[in-house]
Amino acid sequence: MTTVDAVLPAGRSAVRPRPAGFLHDVTSIAGRALRAVPRDVEAVIPPIFIALFFFIVNIGTLQDITQSNIPGFSFKAFQMPTAILLGVTGVSRAPALVLDVQNGYFDRLLLTPIRRLAILLGHMVADVAVAVALTLPILTLGFILDVRFESGPLGVVVFILLAGLWSLAFSGFGYAIALKTGNPAAVNSSFLLFFPFLFMTSSYVPRDQLTGWLDTVAAWNPVTYLLEGMRSLVTAGWQWDDIGKALLAISIVGAVSMSMCFAALRGRVKRG
């Protein structure tokens, strides 16, 4: 008989916590993460502001030069995927998770019957929801500037889905840093990993306009294929080869980042 059972009246047994379903665990963590977003708007306002700023500035400075050298080329449509990736990459609840680690909330979660994997997946579900929401202002601006999707309304949905999946794949790096270091500054700097990915690719001119070492680097850069897949939905319609390469690029980056963050989660749980 346990100590708890000993102090209960005869015939009464202790009430013990029972694990809820895995889906319930994930939705509970995701709901908490989403409810915290309005109290942490500084984590989402700067990325969308930067994305809109560069979208407008790049169009204003490069549109005439680019379109005059490439007949029939729409620089507005070409730039929209770049702006989207600037807006959604690195936007995650990893900084909030690292605060949970620092203030002890994460350790208290480990004392509950909640699945450990659900803690991470719940935050990632919230990340995808936020990323999808962040694409809407950029798409709205694009439509105002007369950008039209050759793939139609369904293409817009697939475009948003690709952005959300990329945001999810990249967020794994932030969570890996958060769980490994418990350092907010290190987590906040994880976005810097993306700059080489974005700018050493076809972010400003078509791939066939790149030369020398930059063309070689772009050929190995997964963001190149992600951009080409998203752009095909805007400018060319349903180019399944480009869309397939975009999904493959997301899968490769996601496999690396998720392996890192799940390994960091196992290490954090052992230390907890």
Side-chain angles (χ1 to χ4, degrees), residues 9-267:
R12 299 284 297 277
S13 59
V15 178
R16 303 183 186 281
R18 292 183 303 172
F22 182 76
L23 182 60
H24 181 272
D25 290 347
V26 171
T27 54
S28 296
I29 296 294
R32 175 179 178 267
L34 287 173
R35 288 192 297 272
V37 171
R39 301 192 298 271
D40 192 25
V41 292
E42 64 272 13
V44 295
I45 295 300
I48 196 63
F49 174 79
I50 291 172
L52 291 171
F53 174 80
F54 277 103
F55 189 28
I56 295 171
V57 170
N58 289 338
I59 290 172
T61 56
L62 300 174
Q63 178 176 248
D64 290 344
I65 296 175
T66 308
Q67 293 185 168
S68 63
N69 287 282
I70 308 176
F73 179 72
S74 172
F75 190 71
K76 296 173 185 175
F78 183 84
Q79 271 296 291
M80 190 159 66
T82 301
I84 292 286
L85 294 190
L86 271 174
V88 303
T89 302
V91 176
S92 77
R93 302 306 299 162
L97 181 61
V98 82
L99 292 178
D100 287 344
V101 171
Q102 287 188 327
N103 63 27
Y105 182 80
F106 184 86
D107 291 333
R108 293 196 295 273
L109 272 180
L110 297 182
L111 298 176
T112 70
I114 194 169
R115 276 81 168 176
R116 284 21 178 177
L117 184 59
I119 299 174
L120 196 54
L121 291 182
H123 283 85
M124 290 180 175
V125 168
D127 291 343
V128 173
V130 172
V132 167
L134 291 180
T135 64
L136 300 181
I138 302 171
L139 284 171
T140 300
L141 178 60
F143 292 144
I144 292 173
L145 295 175
D146 202 32
V147 174
R148 296 294 179 263
F149 278 71
E150 294 296 327
S151 54
L154 184 58
V156 178
V157 175
V158 175
F159 184 91
I160 295 173
L161 179 61
L162 288 174
L165 289 174
W166 167 256
S167 176
L168 174 64
F170 192 85
S171 70
F173 295 116
Y175 285 112
I177 296 171
L179 292 167
K180 184 70 175 179
T181 67
N183 187 323
V187 175
N188 291 332
S189 66
S190 63
F191 177 72
L192 297 176
L193 295 171
F194 177 62
F195 274 90
F197 279 100
L198 180 63
F199 291 104
M200 290 193 291
T201 184
S202 57
S203 54
Y204 291 107
V205 295
R207 174 79 182 281
D208 57 14
Q209 300 296 310
L210 300 178
T211 60
W213 66 269
L214 185 56
D215 183 45
T216 303
V217 172
W220 290 93
N221 189 339
V223 179
T224 297
Y225 304 99
L226 175 60
L227 286 171
E228 289 177 352
M230 296 176 73
R231 282 171 180 151
S232 70
L233 292 167
V234 184
T235 61
W238 296 100
Q239 302 293 316
W240 297 109
D241 184 54
D242 289 336
I243 295 171
K245 289 178 181 178
L247 289 171
L248 179 60
I250 292 171
S251 299
I252 292 172
V253 174
V256 174
S257 68
M258 295 303 158
S259 297
M260 293 173 61
C261 72
F262 290 144
L265 176 64
R266 290 192 295 270

